Amino acid sequence: MGEVAPLQRGFDLPVSQMISGPYPVVMSNGVGGWHSKYAVKGPGVVTGRSGTIGGLQYIEGDFWPHNTSLWVTSFNSNEPKFIYWLYSSLNLERFGSGSGVPTLNRNDVHDQLIGVPCNIAEQRRIGAFFDRLDSLITLHQRKYDGCTLSPIFLERCTLCRKTSLRNRCFATTTPSG
């Protein structure tokens, strides 16, 4: 993995030196602030290094990877979105070490043997497929979360207990029908 898309520790930026601006400061658990300067030109892939491990972020534009994160220093002619999904598939949490505060050692990740399609068009198709799938999952999760608060949803779930095919469950529809 280290030859495909190596990781590097982010840059120090104490909160007292953060000057409000347009660039996201990506920390171990996501965007933790905004700064007037960037340290890395986007797009970028960032994950938690210390504290929160495995919460990958794909950043479209320029950004500042904080020292609590690891960021991909080079995509080595690979498609950035493909690399994002590739890192997502590695289950980075399993590499966590340290007592008290989980820490991710990039060398442990770099040693992983992986297969990567050489064709950039294929990498783009794979990245786009997982983007669409992730969007669809998010859409259905939001729909489900909204339905669980609805009395109509709960009533329809009760209908699911009936065995007749005529009374099959319509709980996956929106509350309005």
Side-chain angles (χ1 to χ4, degrees):
M1 192 67 193
E3 293 175 17
V4 173
L7 295 169
Q8 175 181 307
R9 180 182 179 271
F11 305 99
D12 295 340
L13 182 61
V15 174
S16 62
Q17 294 179 11
M18 206 180 296
I19 301 166
S20 185
Y23 303 106
V25 177
V26 186
M27 299 180 176
S28 65
N29 59 348
V31 175
W34 298 86
H35 192 48
S36 61
K37 298 177 184 174
Y38 64 89
V40 177
K41 291 207 58 78
V45 174
V46 184
T47 188
R49 177 189 69 80
S50 177
T52 304
I53 296 174
L56 243 64
Q57 301 285 320
Y58 183 82
I59 309 297
E60 291 281 348
D62 303 339
F63 63 101
W64 186 288
H66 194 262
N67 64 6
T68 59
S69 70
L70 294 171
W71 60 283
V72 173
T73 59
S74 173
F75 293 103
N76 293 317
S77 300
N78 291 294
E79 174 64 27
K81 270 292 180 142
F82 173 79
I83 296 300
Y84 168 79
W85 289 110
L86 180 62
Y87 266 112
S88 294
S89 72
L90 291 180
N91 187 19
L92 294 173
E93 296 90 352
R94 68 189 166 113
F95 297 107
S97 63
S99 60
V101 178
T103 303
L104 177 61
N105 183 334
R106 65 187 175 132
N107 295 321
D108 294 337
V109 179
H110 287 170
D111 290 343
Q112 295 302 296
L113 296 175
I114 46 126
V116 176
C118 294
N119 184 313
I120 195 79
E122 184 175 358
Q123 289 183 11
R124 282 190 187 110
R125 286 192 301 273
I126 292 169
F129 170 81
F130 282 109
D131 274 349
R132 284 191 305 273
L133 182 60
D134 188 54
S135 293
L136 187 60
I137 290 169
T138 300
L139 174 71
H140 283 285
Q141 186 63 48
R142 285 183 186 152
K143 183 177 177 181
Y144 173 78
D145 290 346
C147 286
T148 57
L149 303 175
S150 165
I152 295 171
F153 177 81
L154 296 174
E155 179 184 336
R156 288 180 180 169
C157 284
T158 305
L159 292 174
C160 290
R161 294 190 182 110
K162 296 182 180 181
T163 56
S164 167
L165 289 177
R166 295 172 103 194
N167 293 324
R168 58 192 173 139
C169 182
F170 293 100
T172 58
T173 62
T174 61
S176 61

